Amino acid sequence: VPLTVLSQLGGHSAKRTHRAPPIDGRPTPIGWKITSTLKNAIESEYGDKIEIRCGQTVTKLMAETSADGSKTVTGVEVNGNIVIGADAVVLATG
């Protein structure tokens, strides 16, 4: 993601916010740009290994407890009734 535009936002005394160049003369929402670029890269490079689910409400983390009392997340429950097991879980919101 090219962050080539330097901007001064509210409360700043100088330009210090790095942003992507405008598209068709309109500012690019940088959060969307970074997440969509990352999502597209994951889907194209690792689509057979990593599943991305958007618009899901995680209602519970599924976990196993080891003999020493430590817990390991083994999946999630989404929308109150669907359990998805996984070797690794990354939660993101925005």
Side-chain angles (χ1 to χ4, degrees):
V1 175
L3 300 176
T4 56
V5 176
L6 192 58
S7 299
Q8 182 174 345
L9 300 180
H12 291 173
S13 59
K15 292 182 178 184
R16 64 180 73 169
T17 302
H18 296 269
R19 302 182 63 108
I23 297 174
D24 297 327
R26 297 171 56 187
T28 303
I30 193 59
W32 172 83
K33 182 70 173 168
I34 291 171
T35 55
S36 65
T37 300
L38 180 58
K39 181 178 180 276
N40 291 339
I42 290 169
E43 288 174 341
S44 68
E45 302 265 336
Y46 304 102
D48 59 331
K49 297 178 181 143
I50 298 174
E51 180 180 358
I52 297 175
R53 290 180 163 241
C54 298
Q56 305 287 305
T57 301
V58 175
T59 49
K60 184 177 183 182
L61 293 176
M62 310 308 292
E64 292 180 357
T65 304
S66 300
D68 65 1
S70 63
K71 291 187 177 183
T72 302
V73 174
T74 57
V76 294
E77 177 187 270
V78 296
N79 302 329
N81 61 352
I82 302 168
V83 175
I84 303 168
D87 294 329
V89 175
V90 177
L91 303 176
T93 184

